């Protein structure tokens, strides 16, 4: 499938210390940037959240406190991350309700001006919910090809 883009789009995913946008922090961010000319760029950063990652969260994503102990903080990475996304629309799964708000909070805490006024967001979960039947059997068929 060929994307017809007017500007770059960054598909991104976060791993975090939890699900509270106001208090939790990013422990990993992956960005896949697609340019209108078809070029692609990707980057993944591990992030020291400067707080403990709860054991139940480590069980979900596998990123331990020891693994991020010597990684840069989000504040140290904020300019680099912002430079990668600043000219782009944003996309992800459940990104409108979680990833974009948490990323915005982290950028604002780091003193980086961020807003969505000149961007479009593409939330694949929203598209899925509008286009596919929302049952377990439909999800099994859609994701696994099984009935």
């Amino acid at each position: 499938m060929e994307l017809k883009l007017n500007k770059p789009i960054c598909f991104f995913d976060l791993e975090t210390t939890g699900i509270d946008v106001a208090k939790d922090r990013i422990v990993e961010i992956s960005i896949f940037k697609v340019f209108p000319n078809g070029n692609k760029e990707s980057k993944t950063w591990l992030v020291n959240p400067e707080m403990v990652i709860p054991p139940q969260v480590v069980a979900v994503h596998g990123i331990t406190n020891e693994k991020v102990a010597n990684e840069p903080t989000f504040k140290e990475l904020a300019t680099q991350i912002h430079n990668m996304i600043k000219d782009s629309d944003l996309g992800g799964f459940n990104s409108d309700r979680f990833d974009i708000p948490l990323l915005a909070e982290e950028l604002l805490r780091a003193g980086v001006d961020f807003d969505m006024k000149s961007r479009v967001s593409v939330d694949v979960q929203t598209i899925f919910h509008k286009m596919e039947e929302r049952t377990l059997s439909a999800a099994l068929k859609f994701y696994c090809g099984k009935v």
Side-chain angles (χ1 to χ4, degrees):
M1 178 174 93
E2 184 180 330
L3 295 175
K4 294 187 185 342
L5 301 174
N6 295 322
K7 66 180 182 178
I9 184 166
C10 288
F11 295 96
F12 76 104
D13 186 49
L14 305 177
E15 300 301 342
T16 65
T17 59
I19 58 171
D20 185 327
V21 170
K23 79 171 185 67
D24 284 307
R25 301 292 187 265
I26 295 171
V27 298
E28 183 180 69
I29 179 169
S30 293
I31 303 172
F32 180 71
K33 186 172 187 174
V34 181
F35 294 87
N37 67 3
N39 288 348
K40 298 171 181 87
E41 173 184 346
S42 66
K43 180 73 177 157
T44 297
W45 294 270
L46 280 172
V47 182
N48 181 333
E50 302 181 284
M51 66 186 295
V52 173
I53 307 168
Q56 65 272 26
V57 177
V58 172
V60 172
H61 56 52
I63 300 170
T64 64
N65 292 291
E66 296 76 24
K67 189 172 184 177
V68 296
N70 296 315
E71 297 297 334
T73 64
F74 190 88
K75 188 170 186 166
E76 292 169 324
L77 295 169
T79 300
Q80 208 177 340
I81 291 167
H82 184 256
N83 284 342
M84 189 167 183
I85 67 170
K86 68 182 178 185
D87 63 343
S88 305
D89 292 329
L90 298 176
F93 189 88
N94 193 31
S95 52
D96 286 349
R97 291 189 294 170
F98 183 72
D99 296 75
I100 291 172
L102 185 57
L103 179 61
E105 284 290 323
E106 287 275 40
L107 287 166
L108 291 172
R109 276 192 287 273
V112 176
D113 188 31
F114 176 81
D115 67 60
M116 289 294 295
K117 290 178 192 147
S118 62
R119 305 171 198 265
V120 171
S121 69
V122 178
D123 189 330
V124 178
Q125 183 184 50
T126 302
I127 295 168
F128 174 72
H129 287 173
K130 287 181 179 178
M131 302 300 290
E132 299 295 328
E133 183 183 354
R134 294 200 54 207
T135 64
L136 286 176
S137 57
L140 184 64
K141 182 178 178 186
F142 183 83
Y143 289 113
C144 303
K146 298 179 181 177
V147 178

